[in-house]
Amino acid sequence: MHPAFSVIFLTTLIGAGQGLFLALMTAETFSHLGALPLQDNAFYSTGSLLVLGFLVAGLAASFFHLGHPERAWRSAAMWRTSWLSREVIALPAFMGIVFVYALLHYLDWNPTVFGTTALPETGLTLLVGIIGVVLCFALFICTAMIYACLKFLQEWHTPLTAINYTLFGMSSGFTLATAYAAQYSSEVTGLFGTWAIILTLAALVTRSASLLRNRRIKHRSSLRTAIGVRHSKIQQKSQGAMGGSFNTREFFHGKSLAFVRSIKWIFLLLVFPLPLLLLGMGLNNDNPTLLLMAFAVQYVGLLAERWFFFAQANHPQNLYYQTI
């Protein structure tokens, strides 16, 4: 498939924003349980604004993928059958709840919502944050299922697609949260850093599993099935056209096999070992610059990973249009 950079930026930017929000909620939950000191409201409100910045940037990038951006709202009408429509609904809903969460912390307005002898006391910010966590995971699922639901693209049609989208978003978000916390609060830097390392290692395991799975795929479509001829020797001589077309541009990456393989090794290096090394050095030396570099390196690696994800998917139509 053709990797569209607008979609690559959309998925990586909102993923980092979602992961950062989950990190903020992790800190508030730990504080609520008494496992961590209560953080200042400015820590949560500023962090939530950073989340919104990533979500807005991702949303803006997605508009470059649309032929008629003014008609984008119409895509939400197909929510019963389309994961893309569900994503169009989930993203603004999540953005709205993050804004409310940031505003409540900024105003320092956190009345007790409920709390009895049977239930622990719960504030409004924690309740709003829990709703945000539900929307956050719903958005992860909607975004990933746009690709995972396509049966004819066997490289994507696997639960590993949804798992990897979620883990990559969480690992980049927690790495960003580690760098952010180092500027504001040393109490939660170690917590975020530990989770960033755990999530990055988990993503390494699941992405490696998907690479191995895709390497062993036996495609259902072939020249024999395409034309309904079972002869053992079939040779394609022409794609039926001398120039490029929509099919050759949209369903094929247009790069050599060596280039695609080099991107794979680049993202494996930038997403996993280098950020882990920088995270470890930054946490041990209490160095915010190294922690910020860990996020920057990992994000560049995620751009390469997402490019490879799209390029690796082999559309059956390429039997006709890209063989020659």
Side-chain angles (χ1 to χ4, degrees):
M1 296 292 286
H2 170 67
F5 278 100
S6 53
V7 180
I8 291 173
F9 279 111
L10 164 68
T11 54
T12 52
L13 286 171
I14 65 173
Q18 290 169 262
L20 177 57
F21 180 76
L22 293 176
L24 294 175
M25 274 303 297
T26 301
E28 181 159 359
T29 304
F30 271 60
S31 299
H32 182 74
L33 296 175
L36 280 175
L38 188 63
Q39 305 303 307
D40 190 82
N41 277 311
F43 174 76
Y44 294 105
S45 59
T46 307
S48 300
L49 288 178
L50 191 58
V51 173
L52 278 175
F54 275 88
L55 297 178
V56 170
L59 183 63
S62 71
F63 277 85
F64 290 96
H65 193 61
L66 303 175
H68 294 279
E70 72 279 5
R71 302 176 189 171
W73 61 273
R74 294 184 182 179
S75 60
M78 302 297 292
W79 61 272
R80 292 181 181 85
T81 56
S82 168
W83 284 104
L84 178 61
S85 291
R86 292 163 190 161
E87 184 195 39
V88 169
I89 296 171
L91 177 55
F94 178 58
M95 293 171 70
I97 209 71
V98 171
F99 175 76
V100 173
Y101 182 78
L103 186 63
L104 290 174
H105 275 292
Y106 177 75
L107 298 175
D108 193 15
W109 192 54
N110 189 24
T112 300
V113 178
F114 59 81
T116 64
T117 53
L119 294 172
E121 187 175 284
T122 301
L124 182 59
T125 59
L126 186 62
L127 181 63
V128 170
I130 292 172
I131 297 172
V133 169
V134 173
L135 287 172
C136 178
F137 280 105
L139 180 57
F140 272 130
I141 297 300
C142 291
T143 304
M145 286 305 295
I146 293 172
Y147 312 101
C149 72
L150 301 176
K151 295 182 179 179
F152 58 92
L153 292 177
Q154 292 174 256
E155 290 84 356
W156 294 351
H157 188 56
T158 164
L160 287 170
T161 298
I163 293 171
N164 286 330
Y165 263 68
T166 304
L167 286 177
F168 278 134
M170 292 178 70
S171 63
S172 63
F174 272 81
T175 303
L176 175 61
T178 308
Y180 169 72
Q183 308 287 338
Y184 282 86
S185 172
S186 59
E187 291 98 345
V188 295
T189 304
L191 172 70
F192 289 164
T194 303
W195 273 109
I197 292 171
I198 293 172
L199 291 166
T200 301
L201 290 173
L204 173 60
V205 172
T206 57
R207 192 63 175 105
S208 299
S210 69
L211 289 173
L212 289 173
R213 171 193 174 275
N214 292 345
R215 189 177 176 181
R216 297 172 180 171
I217 284 180
K218 293 183 179 178
H219 290 284
R220 302 186 188 96
S221 300
S222 66
L223 282 177
R224 295 181 189 180
T225 61
I227 61 178
V229 176
R230 296 187 178 182
H231 197 280
S232 59
K233 295 182 180 179
I234 301 175
Q235 187 175 10
Q236 188 175 357
K237 295 292 186 180
S238 170
Q239 65 174 354
M242 297 182 68
S245 65
F246 177 84
N247 289 332
T248 57
R249 290 191 299 271
E250 290 297 316
F251 299 108
F252 188 66
H253 48 76
K255 304 295 182 184
S256 67
L257 188 58
F259 182 87
V260 176
R261 284 176 178 168
S262 68
I263 294 296
K264 180 181 73 173
W265 291 111
I266 288 172
F267 92 69
L268 286 174
L269 178 67
L270 294 181
V271 174
F272 303 114
L274 281 182
L276 288 173
L277 178 64
L278 291 168
L279 275 171
M281 292 171 60
L283 290 172
N284 285 332
N285 300 318
D286 196 19
N287 189 327
T289 304
L290 289 176
L291 297 175
L292 190 59
M293 286 176 62
F295 170 72
V297 168
Q298 191 174 50
Y299 182 75
V300 173
L302 285 177
L303 294 178
E305 188 278 337
R306 208 50 49 89
W307 189 95
F308 181 84
F309 170 80
F310 285 108
Q312 191 185 34
N314 189 24
H315 197 288
Q317 70 99 48
N318 291 336
L319 288 170
Y320 293 100
Y321 295 104
Q322 294 301 328
T323 300
I324 300 300

